[in-house]
Amino acid sequence: PATKTSRTTKLFGGRYSGIELSGLLYDSTSTAFDAWEWTANLGAPAALVAGAVLVMFQESREDYAPLKNDTKWVRTMKQLSRFFLLTSFALEVVSIFVSTVIGSVLLAHGEATSRKAIIGYTSPLGLLTHHHEFSYLTIQITFLQGLFNWLLATAIDIALPRRKETKSARRMNKALSSWIVSMLLWIMAFYNTNLSFYSDYFHMIKRYFALFAKCYFGSFRPMMLLYVPSFVMSGVLTWKAFFQSPPEDDEVIEEEG
């Protein structure tokens, strides 16, 4: 039974008597503790990014409202900037949530005593990628993509034209925006050259969506009755926001009272 559990925990964390993770054992609890420390330490920078994003989102709400006299690209950039900001905040919250939950899981299970049950990983992240690969990818991707979305929103905010803006200020804003994009691309390159379990960031995303589909759409779960319609509705509303918002609709809605 222990060997069977070790084979199935790579994707689902193991299933035993209908309760997920109940039969999970690690090679070493000290390695699991080190993995917990990694998840705990990643929550702090994710919280910092989420806080900065939330402040920027609230302060720029009126500035990003599309206007009738906006050109098409300005309207699109305003919409993208708000979309990047809110998704950045949501992604960082997901990273914090998953790292907290999986941290509790890492401290909740014991150590394998049978030699046949020992898998042979030698590092904390090796433990995570073997037993909790989906959670590991979720933490990594949501943190990094949230950071990317924030940087993109910042670059767009700087590049957007302002009223009564001088030509010199416009040129400077374009240069600053370009440097932010260049830094983002370098961060991506640096990240790709320091990965241990995947060839690059896009390989991680491909693997993540494969696990996501298998885990949450491969077999029936009661929550599917809620999150599947919610995903569909959110997708439809997003499509309408970007592609069914003509300038004629951009009239200020006066609040009553």
Side-chain angles (χ1 to χ4, degrees):
T3 305
K4 182 179 179 180
T5 299
S6 66
R7 289 197 300 265
T8 58
T9 52
K10 185 176 178 68
L11 174 59
F12 297 102
R15 295 191 179 189
Y16 183 75
S17 300
I19 302 176
E20 295 189 23
L21 303 176
S22 63
L24 177 61
L25 294 175
Y26 299 123
D27 285 7
S28 169
T29 52
S30 62
T31 305
F33 182 80
D34 292 339
W36 168 81
E37 288 187 323
W38 178 83
T39 62
N41 291 334
L42 195 61
L48 288 175
V49 174
V53 168
L54 189 60
V55 171
M56 185 176 176
F57 181 81
Q58 293 295 336
E59 290 181 348
S60 61
R61 180 163 184 163
E62 293 184 2
D63 295 335
Y64 286 166
L67 303 175
K68 284 186 176 181
N69 58 345
D70 286 341
T71 61
K72 184 176 180 180
W73 83 269
V74 170
R75 289 171 55 83
T76 302
M77 289 300 102
K78 285 182 176 181
Q79 292 172 322
L80 282 176
S81 185
R82 284 186 60 79
F83 180 79
F84 283 143
L85 281 177
L86 190 56
T87 53
S88 174
F89 175 75
L91 288 169
E92 298 299 342
V93 170
V94 170
S95 181
I96 296 170
F97 171 74
V98 175
S99 62
T100 302
V101 172
I102 202 63
S104 301
V105 173
L106 289 167
L107 299 180
H109 297 276
E111 189 170 316
T113 57
S114 172
R115 289 186 178 181
K116 293 182 179 180
I118 294 178
I119 297 166
Y121 44 76
T122 57
S123 67
L125 295 186
L127 180 150
L128 280 172
T129 55
H130 180 85
H131 293 289
H132 311 289
E133 185 182 11
F134 178 77
S135 298
Y136 170 77
L137 287 173
T138 301
I139 296 170
Q140 289 276 59
I141 291 174
T142 54
F143 171 73
L144 189 62
Q145 193 61 51
L147 179 63
F148 287 164
N149 286 10
W150 178 40
L151 291 175
L152 286 171
T154 303
I156 292 173
D157 178 69
I158 296 174
L160 282 174
R162 298 290 192 273
R163 294 180 181 178
K164 299 181 180 180
E165 186 178 46
T166 63
K167 291 183 178 180
S168 297
R170 185 84 185 107
R171 284 194 291 266
M172 176 59 70
N173 289 340
K174 287 182 178 180
L176 294 175
S177 179
S178 176
W179 276 112
I180 291 178
V181 174
S182 298
M183 182 181 67
L184 188 154
L185 295 174
W186 175 84
I187 291 175
M188 174 74 75
F190 180 85
Y191 188 78
N192 287 339
T193 57
N194 287 275
L195 286 174
S196 299
F197 307 105
Y198 307 93
S199 59
D200 52 44
Y201 183 59
F202 297 103
H203 180 207
M204 290 177 63
I205 293 178
K206 180 180 178 181
R207 176 64 176 164
Y208 177 76
F209 280 109
L211 293 176
F212 185 91
K214 190 170 184 179
C215 187
Y216 292 98
F217 296 96
S219 59
F220 176 76
R221 292 168 176 259
M223 284 295 296
M224 290 179 67
L225 300 175
L226 297 178
Y227 64 71
V228 171
S230 180
F231 286 162
V232 173
M233 182 176 66
S234 297
V236 171
L237 292 175
T238 302
W239 184 84
K240 288 183 177 181
F242 278 95
F243 301 105
Q244 290 189 351
S245 297
E248 294 77 16
D249 293 343
D250 293 332
E251 296 181 1
V252 178
I253 301 176
E254 300 292 341
E255 295 184 359
E256 298 181 357

